[in-house]
Amino acid sequence: MEENQVQEIKDMSPEEEDLIGRLHRLLGDRWKLIAGRLPDRTAKEVEKYWKMKEIESFERDKIYKPICIKLGPSFKFSMDN
């Protein structure tokens, strides 16, 4: 990711983040309408911010599944102690 994209995300205030989340739930992916409610923000900037937040939340909430391996015939499973 380019440094200027990271900078754009860091420049969002908590109030802007909250408003973007609320407006996205209300309007969907209408970035131009959402950006119109944020002073000095473009639709492209708001969309990049939202996409990066989606990626971050996906990575944070990812569930790692265990890797299953096929056991060879020499493996003996026993319930005896």
Side-chain angles (χ1 to χ4, degrees), residues 38-81:
L38 299 167
D40 302 323
R41 297 290 182 187
T42 65
K44 193 171 269 196
E45 191 177 13
V46 173
E47 182 179 7
K48 283 182 185 177
Y49 164 78
W50 186 258
K51 298 296 181 189
M52 290 308 302
K53 283 295 189 181
E54 281 185 333
I55 291 169
E56 287 175 6
S57 69
F58 176 76
E59 288 295 321
R60 184 183 63 240
D61 298 338
K62 188 186 292 184
I63 297 174
Y64 294 95
K65 296 180 181 178
I67 298 172
C68 296
I69 58 171
K70 186 174 181 180
L71 300 175
S74 61
F75 180 79
K76 305 271 189 212
F77 180 76
S78 174
M79 296 292 284
D80 298 330
N81 290 338

